[in-house]
Structures are given as C-alpha cells and as structure tokens.
Amino acid sequence: MSSNFPLSKDELSSLIKKFPTPFYLYDEKGIRDNMKYFTDCFKNFHAFCEHFAVKALPNPYILKILADEGCGTDCSSLPELILSDMAGIKGEKVMFTSNETPAEEFVYAYEHGNIINLDDYTHIDFLKNALGGKFPELICFRYNPGPLKGGNAIIGVPEEAKYGLTREQLFDAYKKARDYGAKRFALHTMVASNELNPDYFVDTAKMLFEICVELKQKLDIRIEFVDLGGGIGIPYKPDQKKVDLEYVSNSIRKVYDELIVPAGLDPLDIHWECGRPITGPYGWLVSTAIHEKHIYREYIGLDSCMADLMRPGMYGAYHEVTVSGKENAPKDHVYDVVGSLCENCDKFAVQRPLPKIDIGDYVIIHDAGAHGRAMGFNYNAKLRAGEILMRPDGSFRQIRRRETIDDLFATLDLNGVKDFN
C-alpha cells in the first residue's frame, strides 16, 4: 500500500453524512508534496518538465493543483486538451500525444501552441493538410523500438503495439518535417506501464540519447528534449518497493554525461508524462459493505462496482483493501470483495485475507488515484461515483458529483420514444 488512508473512522463517518458512498477521495497535500518531490529529483538537468497524463485523472481541479507545482499535461484527445486549458495549462506545457487523430484535434493543438507528438510517418502529411499547408515549428515523434527494446507484462512487447515509428521511419520523418518547415525537434517513447524496475527507465533514456547523437551526426538535427514517456509504477502490493526516482535521475545523468555532452548536444531537456506515480497513491475509492453471501466462498458486496474501478476486473490488478476502524484487526477471514455488475469478473479482491467485515462497514480501496474514476463506464446502466478533494486545511470539496439517472439518459432523444414504431 503506497499511502495510508488519511481519515479515522469517525472522520470518515462525518464525511459520508455529507457525501454518501461510493466516492473517490483525493489528498491535495499528498499530491502537491509528491509533485514537488518528482520535480526535485530531476533538478540536475538543464530543464525538466512533467506532463501529467490527463487520462489518469481527468479533473480540472486536480490539473490546476498540479499546474501550481509547475506541471504540464500530456493529452490524447480534444476534451483532454480543453481540460488542460480550463486548468490554465497552455502552450508548450501541453504535449499532444495521440494516435489515429482526427484532423480537427491537430488543428486545436496547433492553434493553441501545444507540442504535437506524431505517432506515425503518414501523419506528417496528414497534419500538414489539416493545417492548410502550414507545419509546426516544433515537432516531436514517438519512437517504437520494436525488438530493440523489451516491453513489460502490462503494456506488451513493442513490436505488437500500434504506437510509434520504426527506427528507419524515424530518420526519414525528421528529414521530411524539416523540409516542411519544422525548426525545433523532440523525441518521445513509451514502452512500459506500471514498471517498478528503476534501471528500465535508465535503459530507455540511453536508447533515446543514442538516437539523438545519431540524428545530429546523420541529419544535423538537434533534439531539444527527450520525453521518456510514463510507465513509472507504484507499489500496489505491500511487498513491492517504490521506484527510487533519485537513483533514476542520477543514473540517467551519468548516461547523459557519457553520450550527450561529448556529442555537443548539451543542454538537452528531460520530459516525462507520468500519471500513476503522481496521483495514484493519493486517491481512494470509499465504499460501504451492503451485502454478505455464504456459498462456496465468502462474499462481501459493496455499493460500488467494476463500473467505478475496472482495473481489478479487467487486468486482475491488485489493490490493497482495508476496513475503516479495523486497520489493526487480525485478518482472519477470507473474502471475495465484489460489486453488483452482472459480470463475474466484478471483483475488487479475490480470496483476500481481511478482518471480519460487517454490513455497514466502510471499505477502502487504495491506490485508486490514477486510472480509477477515469476508466469508469456505464454498462448495466451503472452510475459512476463522484470525487471529493481533501484540502490541506482538512476541509473537503466535491470536485465531481455522482452521476444521476438524468445524466445517463441525457444523450437519448426521449421525446421521440412514445411515437416511435
């Protein structure tokens, strides 16, 4: 478990009287302090920028908190670009990394001065046509190393991924972009997800630095920054260790001094696009136990379900589960902790040793501050949970209300139902 739940049972009971479960709770101070730590770890580079992956937690209140700490955003759709703008994150603080992108989304990013990160060689001409013959001054390309770099169990092997340019395409892409008028260049890759091995990221940086040197030698193109992607994991399981970012930074700096400095490419800026390690440990899904079932297994049914948090059901992902007020009680019962979706994979925990859970207990699902509420859905006509922010002064603010039936039906033309035949 990455971060302890910040409220006692009495404090949580008081909060639930105002905001009934289920809901997501985020710790603003924890997020701010964590973002400060992330930035401080990379102070040994000329310039550093973390572009928070909006897909991890697409809420403008959270984005505004991160913007206060110097964070930018990484976006993959028009609504995410708009959310960044709402939060005051503008210009080159925004990285637009999308794939199979509609023309109007490229136009929006260009007109707002965002960094466009192209995912394919054919997108060069597509972008130029979308912009009426114009081309960005600054352009970035996403590199897919294929068999030259291993992926991990979460994201899969690079050669099976739909993302990015091959090594051969990459060199042709920079030359073509320069011919179209680009004057500034950047390089990006994303080859792992939820990775806990710190050396993986050092190896990724070395791979990109070598390409930067080769681009200078072969094409006389100087890369302004490398974006190392996201992929930094968090210790969801109690026996896992947090990634040592100071070690990662210092090790990348050594490789930088070995490759970039002698090649005359210093300064080269370092960018990331992490989501999970920034907000993941500081968000919790708070639910109430409303049912118990005793058949071939012991079950506890919650008032939340997979529609609120899909990671365990979709990926078999582990999330620590605790019971408010029973944190130190013996884990002498074994439960499947489940929701009400009509799918047997709707399980938050499977055969998990936990304290005895009584109806009415508050059940806390940890490390849900990234890819939690964001991945919610409405299957079974489920209404997704709201979001509550705990401020540094101990007060609470609702930053997204729970969905209503009216929200669910809003896109239906209900006026025509009676007369339809």
Side-chain angles (χ1 to χ4, degrees):
M1 181 170 54
S2 302
S3 183
N4 291 328
F5 188 67
L7 302 180
S8 68
K9 184 176 182 180
D10 287 345
E11 291 170 330
L12 182 56
S13 296
S14 178
L15 179 63
I16 288 171
K17 287 178 183 176
K18 186 174 182 181
F19 303 109
T21 59
F23 58 77
Y24 276 87
L25 178 68
Y26 306 118
D27 177 5
E28 178 180 340
K29 183 178 185 303
I31 292 171
R32 286 186 182 276
D33 289 348
N34 197 34
M35 188 60 230
K36 288 184 176 77
Y37 160 74
F38 197 104
T39 301
D40 190 58
C41 285
F42 289 89
K43 63 186 177 184
N44 55 351
F45 290 93
H46 168 259
F48 165 77
C49 185
E50 152 66 356
H51 301 272
F52 178 73
V54 177
K55 63 179 177 286
L57 210 178
N59 189 302
Y61 288 87
I62 301 297
L63 299 183
K64 198 163 188 180
I65 289 168
L66 292 171
D68 288 346
E69 305 302 333
C71 193
T73 53
D74 173 73
C75 301
S76 56
S77 69
L78 179 57
E80 290 184 355
L81 290 169
I82 294 170
L83 283 170
S84 298
D85 202 39
M86 285 180 185
I89 303 174
K90 300 178 183 295
E92 293 181 8
K93 278 285 191 178
V94 178
M95 189 92 169
F96 185 46
T97 303
S98 65
N99 64 95
E100 317 311 334
T101 309
E104 61 269 20
E105 299 194 2
F106 277 138
V107 171
Y108 184 98
Y110 175 78
E111 291 179 346
H112 286 76
N114 306 144
I115 301 169
I116 295 177
N117 183 24
L118 291 181
D119 185 66
D120 189 69
Y121 183 83
T122 64
H123 294 178
I124 301 171
D125 283 329
F126 186 91
L127 174 62
K128 185 181 179 185
N129 291 335
L131 300 180
K134 295 179 287 187
F135 203 78
E137 180 179 290
L138 169 60
I139 196 70
C140 185
F141 289 102
R142 178 171 183 165
Y143 172 47
N144 181 335
L148 301 176
K149 172 74 173 174
N152 68 2
I154 304 294
I155 205 168
V157 294
E159 59 264 41
E160 295 177 3
K162 68 174 182 173
Y163 308 109
L165 289 78
T166 68
R167 182 178 176 84
E168 293 75 18
Q169 290 172 334
L170 196 64
F171 286 79
D172 290 339
Y174 281 107
K175 184 178 183 302
K176 188 170 189 176
R178 182 174 59 187
D179 291 343
Y180 281 175
K183 296 180 173 59
R184 301 164 59 205
F185 305 94
L187 175 62
H188 165 279
T189 197
M190 173 75 178
V191 286
S193 180
N194 196 32
E195 178 61 56
L196 292 174
N197 178 6
D199 290 316
Y200 191 95
F201 306 104
V202 182
D203 292 342
T204 298
K206 181 176 185 292
M207 176 183 71
L208 294 186
F209 291 162
E210 289 172 344
I211 292 176
C212 290
V213 173
E214 195 171 347
L215 282 166
K216 182 68 169 65
Q217 292 171 343
K218 291 184 175 179
L219 299 178
D220 196 28
I221 281 178
R222 183 188 180 105
I223 296 297
E224 186 173 312
F225 70 83
V226 293
D227 187 325
L228 299 172
I232 296 176
I234 61 175
Y236 286 101
K237 297 181 179 180
D239 61 345
Q240 292 177 325
K241 289 179 60 177
K242 179 180 178 181
V243 174
D244 185 343
L245 290 178
E246 291 183 49
Y247 169 84
V248 171
S249 177
N250 291 334
S251 299
I252 289 176
R253 181 69 215 197
K254 288 179 183 177
V255 178
Y256 182 99
D257 290 338
E258 292 169 1
L259 294 174
I260 296 300
V261 174
L265 296 176
D266 181 45
L268 174 72
D269 300 342
I270 301 296
H271 292 214
W272 289 90
E273 57 177 53
C274 294
R276 192 187 319 265
I278 305 300
T279 58
Y282 303 100
W284 302 264
L285 176 58
V286 180
S287 307
T288 301
I290 59 172
H291 287 287
E292 58 184 346
K293 185 168 184 172
H294 317 283
I295 48 173
Y296 307 105
R297 292 181 176 184
E298 296 294 300
Y299 292 90
I300 292 294
L302 305 184
D303 59 356
S304 60
C305 70
M306 186 180 170
D308 297 303
L309 177 64
M310 72 184 298
R311 295 188 71 253
M314 183 175 184
Y315 303 123
Y318 182 97
H319 283 263
E320 187 75 353
V321 175
T322 58
V323 184
S324 184
K326 297 181 179 180
E327 292 84 359
N328 299 317
K331 297 180 180 180
D332 52 6
H333 287 63
V334 176
Y335 297 110
D336 280 15
V337 181
V338 303
S340 59
L341 206 69
C342 291
E343 296 289 340
N344 196 46
C345 61
D346 182 18
K347 297 183 177 183
F348 296 114
V350 177
Q351 293 295 277
R352 186 77 59 87
L354 292 166
K356 184 179 185 302
I357 299 177
D358 298 303
I359 300 303
D361 277 349
Y362 304 134
V363 178
I364 315 299
I365 301 174
H366 293 247
D367 298 306
H371 309 288
R373 175 59 172 75
M375 295 178 74
F377 54 90
N378 292 122
Y379 179 61
N380 265 184
K382 293 296 184 181
L383 305 175
R384 290 172 290 182
E387 296 173 305
I388 310 298
L389 181 67
M390 185 174 74
R391 308 302 308 278
D393 63 2
S395 63
F396 299 92
R397 174 160 187 163
Q398 181 174 257
I399 58 174
R400 188 194 301 270
R401 63 168 173 76
R402 179 169 174 76
E403 286 182 334
T404 67
I405 291 174
D406 286 343
D407 294 329
L408 187 66
F409 293 167
T411 56
L412 292 171
D413 180 8
L414 297 178
N415 293 327
V417 171
K418 289 182 180 180
D419 300 327
F420 182 76
N421 55 49

